[in-house]
Amino acid sequence: MRVLVTGCAGFIGSHLCRRLLADGHEVVGVDCFTPYYPRAIKEANVADLLPDPNFTLLELDLATADLRPLLDGVEIVYHQAAQAGVRASWGTQFESYIRHNVLATQRLLEAAKASRLRKFVYASSSSIYGDAECYPTSEDVVPRPVSPYGVTKLAAEQLTYLYWKNYGVPTIALRYFTVYGPGQRPDMAFHKFILAALQGRPVQIYGDGNQTRDFTFVEDAVEANISAGQCEASGVALNVGGGSRVTVNEVLQMLGEILQMELVVEHLPPQKGDVRHTSADITLASRLLGYEPKVDIKTGLELEAAWLQQLLVARAA
Ligand code: UGA
């Protein structure tokens, strides 16, 4: 089957491509290599995929490119491309979030109207909930984002719904809860914590460290995408959580044990746009996708730490 993965050189997109290729699919990967973090990191994410004859990498911007030809013969779209980062979405940066999250999604959906897709899977985010009314949070809780990023992810998610409602584009949205693991973006907490510890710098915590996240291992998020691509349901949004809701302080405790070192912690003020807690009710994803997270937080942290340790060794060589 021919599939399209947008944001293929990103953290989750590259893992998803690897899995789709291993499953025998022909993967067209699109990325526009935004400068949010170094291009070299994204190139490294796809380096092992490029020699595969079933993989094509196209560098283009979904906000301007002609998208109709891109969907020729494509059966499933996995739309992972986004301007990521909750805390960076204020001020003048917002324009980039509108462009890469809202406009890009709308243009892809317009192109999808004319094609015969089996499924259009959209990477949504737990940030659409904001400080939710209740935990664990189910999909029928009123979304009320507290970051400009969350507003754009929600706007795009609602676009996927209305293109299903009005034009029958078979969309499904996956609300990821703080995905981590090998290849994690360099602006995200675990990547920063592990690197700081390994390089002998203090680990910087925003606020008191008692905020919680339902951290989700990247291969579990990939599995949710694979199931979403094959499922019957359309026009729905599903929580994809990791089943590992822990505080940031608990994560640091675990990391100290994994790295076998005393971490030096520096507390910085809480950041605007950060929610206090996330916790996913995954009943719906479990019912519609058979989704069940498999990797617990300790195992996942070990895998991410091992990846970063190897990376540092390779860089030093
Ligand atoms: C993450 C992703 O970055 C978003 O793209 C995604 O949409 C979102 O998850 C989601 O679930 O919707 P976030 O939860 O902020 O956002 O992920 P991290 O950067 O890993 O932060 C996790 C926690 O660690 C937050 O409470 C944050 O305040 C804290 N943190 C982060 C620190 O204390 N110090 C840091 O240096 C970085």
Side-chain angles (χ1 to χ4, degrees):
M1 195 191 330
R2 187 176 165 95
V3 302
L4 176 74
V5 178
T6 71
C8 68
F11 165 40
I12 304 171
S14 57
H15 277 274
L16 179 58
C17 287
R18 198 165 292 113
R19 166 65 186 274
L20 289 162
L21 289 167
D23 287 352
H25 300 299
E26 184 191 342
V27 179
V28 179
V30 166
D31 210 290
C32 75
F33 292 89
T34 60
Y36 179 61
Y37 59 92
R39 184 182 175 106
I41 295 181
K42 298 180 189 182
E43 286 176 347
N45 286 343
V46 288
D48 64 315
L49 309 180
L50 292 176
D52 192 320
N54 281 326
F55 182 67
T56 311
L57 171 64
L58 300 174
E59 182 167 352
L60 59 81
D61 186 347
L62 297 172
T64 50
D66 181 7
L67 302 182
R68 287 282 290 279
L70 202 62
L71 294 177
D72 272 353
V74 164
E75 294 189 39
I76 303 178
V77 171
Y78 299 94
H79 180 35
Q80 312 292 308
Q83 175 57 57
V86 178
R87 296 171 287 279
S89 60
W90 300 100
T92 53
Q93 294 306 312
F94 188 58
E95 203 176 318
S96 167
Y97 286 78
I98 290 285
R99 178 191 178 98
H100 295 296
N101 298 352
V102 184
L103 181 61
T105 304
Q106 185 268 350
R107 294 189 82 248
L108 196 54
L109 287 162
E110 275 292 321
K113 269 178 12 187
S115 65
R116 293 171 166 272
L117 290 179
R118 279 170 54 162
K119 198 61 75 182
F120 182 115
V121 185
Y122 166 69
S124 188
S125 158
S126 74
S127 65
I128 64 115
Y129 289 118
D131 289 307
E133 281 157 27
C134 59
Y135 302 97
T137 307
S138 69
E139 292 83 353
D140 45 24
V141 162
V142 178
R144 202 166 283 151
V146 294
S147 64
Y149 165 80
V151 168
T152 61
K153 291 304 285 182
L154 178 59
E157 185 191 289
Q158 293 189 330
L159 283 167
T160 65
Y161 170 76
L162 64 89
Y163 274 81
W164 170 71
K165 187 82 182 153
N166 290 278
Y167 293 103
V169 180
T171 60
I172 186 164
L174 301 180
R175 295 176 176 168
Y176 300 156
F177 282 66
T178 314
V179 180
Y180 73 100
Q184 194 189 37
R185 291 198 328 262
D187 62 312
M188 293 185 71
F190 294 180
H191 187 129
K192 289 171 72 184
F193 294 167
I194 297 166
L195 213 55
L198 293 175
Q199 294 175 333
R201 292 181 282 112
V203 170
Q204 297 183 322
I205 303 298
Y206 300 137
D208 61 9
N210 285 322
Q211 64 267 45
T212 59
R213 290 289 181 278
D214 199 329
F215 294 104
T216 307
F217 191 68
V218 62
E219 293 305 335
D220 286 326
V222 165
E223 194 63 43
N225 272 278
I226 301 296
S227 309
Q230 291 160 359
C231 85
E232 293 293 318
S234 291
V236 287
L238 307 175
N239 289 339
V240 173
S244 297
R245 183 190 184 190
V246 288
T247 67
V248 167
N249 288 332
E250 284 167 330
V251 166
L252 292 185
Q253 172 80 29
M254 281 185 254
L255 270 183
E257 287 161 20
I258 291 166
L259 300 173
Q260 296 183 331
M261 53 172 76
E262 197 76 40
L263 303 186
V264 181
V265 172
E266 180 187 344
H267 285 274
L268 299 179
Q271 304 288 297
K272 291 209 184 325
D274 267 345
V275 300
R276 181 74 175 155
H277 301 294
T278 66
S279 175
D281 179 339
I282 57 167
T283 311
L284 197 57
S286 153
R287 183 153 61 78
L288 297 182
L289 306 182
Y291 174 72
E292 199 191 329
K294 299 218 167 43
V295 179
D296 64 74
I297 183 76
K298 177 126 190 307
T299 311
L301 269 175
E302 280 167 1
L303 290 166
E304 183 163 347
W307 164 68
L308 279 167
Q309 272 166 327
Q310 266 177 13
L311 210 69
L312 286 186
V313 170
R315 267 187 215 160

